Amino acid sequence: MGTYRQAVVDLDASVEDAVEHGRRGRDWLEAEGYIRPVPWEGAVVYLAGPRWREAVDLAPWDWRASIKALEREPGEALEVITGRTVFYAGQGDPPAAICPHCRNATPTSAWPSDTFDAIAAWYASGVADLDCPACAHRTPLPGWDWTDDYFAFACLGFQFDDWPPLHPRFTTAFGQALGHRIRVVTGKI
């Protein structure tokens, strides 16, 4: 069956400040009522809060969730992920990498094999560059775009598992609250 995963990825948080920005982001989500703290096995988890429906687009998720008598909410806790992470969509067609210089979209199947070495290098060290096959411009890996926002290379992400699709209005407001550029990575794993 799988898990429907969405991550709001902070593209600007560094390794050094990811924990602080993660706490700030979680505090904003709680203050706005999108999540709520719940004691769980000696710790605290953050489940859907009283305003969770305002953060999502219910129509494509489950028509039953829009019936007022049904109080079904997402069951998974928010996970704040800090540290160097390759956020990826999971299943689906292989993405194309979009050069930030010339905007050429090259399917990953057409990339040299060292592209995946670059991904591994970035994960290990935080430093990796790719050369565009079309214009030969060399750009750090996190600067590339990917079709369908398939990848994000970052040090902070807010992961919502098995929530309805996050509404663009919500993700825009969340990005503004973070004060950083964001990318929303969605998929099924």
Side-chain angles (χ1 to χ4, degrees), residues 69-147:
L70 183 62
E71 293 301 321
R72 186 173 144 196
E73 65 182 39
E76 296 294 324
L78 168 75
E79 184 177 353
V80 179
I81 299 168
T82 58
R84 201 172 300 109
T85 305
V86 179
F87 295 91
Y88 64 96
Q91 301 174 4
D93 295 329
I98 303 168
C99 175
H101 183 69
C102 72
R103 304 307 296 165
N104 181 63
T106 304
T108 52
S109 59
W111 281 79
S113 61
D114 65 348
T115 301
F116 297 99
D117 293 339
I119 292 171
W122 182 86
Y123 182 73
S125 69
V127 179
D129 295 331
L130 286 179
D131 294 320
C132 176
C135 72
H137 192 260
R138 189 166 184 80
T139 303
L141 185 60
W144 287 79
D145 291 325
W146 304 84
T147 53

Side-chain angles (χ1 to χ4, degrees), residues 34-69:
Y34 298 121
I35 60 172
R36 72 184 191 285
V38 176
W40 180 258
E41 297 183 354
V44 175
V45 296
Y46 291 86
L47 298 178
R51 291 184 57 207
W52 74 269
R53 291 173 186 267
E54 296 173 39
V56 301
D57 184 1
L58 287 172
W61 181 56
D62 186 349
W63 65 270
R64 295 170 298 172
S66 63
I67 299 171
K68 286 191 176 197

